[in-house]
């Protein structure tokens, strides 16, 4: 629950109401049921507890990350809208164009990651396509950074 608060707090979304009203009560009730099942099912073999806990908490953690990815997509879409509104109202500046390019790259990255997470959750693919997608975007960010550093001074006539 602390991780959920931290992740959503990083983007300015207050998720405490969700934790207080839903996750804590439901989680406490679910924890009692899971604990009872674990004690009954794994009475004699304590070393088998780690795979069972992994099986239980990995889907929950993945769903939380997927929910965060949806909030991040929405926040990035709002940022793109705000940047485009400022460009249409006040014109092009180096900062606005740099922010627009970075956010376009980010929204493509997040949308692709969301699609691959959904495929992973449906068990249509493994995690490798998601890893390749994320690592393939690192050079894209680097190229955009180089464009901002090398081309922007020429286009915007920096002194």
């Amino acid at each position: 629950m602390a991780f959920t608060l931290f992740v959503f707090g990083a983007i300015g979304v207050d998720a405490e109401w969700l934790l207080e009203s839903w996750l804590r009560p439901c989680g406490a009730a679910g924890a009692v049921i899971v604990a009872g099942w674990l004690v009954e099912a794994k009475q004699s073999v304590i070393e088998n507890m780690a795979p069972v806990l992994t099986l239980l908490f990995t889907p929950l953690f993945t769903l939380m990350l997927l929910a965060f990815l949806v909030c991040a997509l929405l926040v990035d879409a709002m940022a793109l809208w705000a940047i485009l509104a400022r460009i249409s109202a006040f014109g092009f500046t180096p900062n606005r164009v740099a922010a627009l390019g970075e956010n376009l790259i980010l929204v493509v990255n997040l949308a692709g990651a969301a699609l691959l997470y959904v495929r992973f959750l449906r068990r249509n693919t493994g995690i490798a396509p998601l890893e390749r997608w994320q690592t393939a975007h690192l050079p894209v960010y680097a190229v955009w950074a180089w464009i901002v550093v090398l081309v922007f001074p020429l286009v915007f006539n920096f002194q």
Side-chain angles (χ1 to χ4, degrees), residues 78-97:
M78 289 188 301
L80 276 172
W81 179 79
I83 292 167
L84 290 172
R86 290 189 58 90
I87 287 174
S88 68
F90 303 111
F92 290 96
T93 65
N95 286 343
R96 290 183 194 128
V97 174

Side-chain angles (χ1 to χ4, degrees), residues 94-133:
N95 286 343
R96 290 183 194 128
V97 174
L100 177 64
E102 188 272 331
N103 276 286
L104 286 172
I105 294 169
L106 184 61
V107 78
V108 169
N109 187 357
L110 291 173
L115 178 67
L116 291 170
Y117 267 120
V118 169
R119 286 182 183 169
F120 174 72
L121 288 174
R122 290 182 176 174
R123 303 203 192 286
N124 293 343
T125 63
I127 199 71
L130 179 62
E131 292 171 351
R132 283 192 302 274
W133 175 259

Side-chain angles (χ1 to χ4, degrees), residues 30-114:
V32 171
I33 294 169
V34 169
W37 175 78
L38 285 173
V39 168
E40 183 64 31
K42 301 293 181 182
Q43 286 180 0
S44 63
V45 188
I46 202 70
E47 64 269 1
N48 285 340
M49 199 61 83
V52 172
L53 292 176
T54 301
L55 182 68
L56 290 173
F57 289 109
T58 298
L60 294 175
F61 185 72
T62 304
L63 288 174
M64 192 273 305
L65 285 177
L66 189 60
F68 179 73
L69 190 58
V70 170
C71 284
L73 272 168
L74 292 175
V75 168
D76 194 49
M78 289 188 301
L80 276 172
W81 179 79
I83 292 167
L84 290 172
R86 290 189 58 90
I87 287 174
S88 68
F90 303 111
F92 290 96
T93 65
N95 286 343
R96 290 183 194 128
V97 174
L100 177 64
E102 188 272 331
N103 276 286
L104 286 172
I105 294 169
L106 184 61
V107 78
V108 169
N109 187 357
L110 291 173

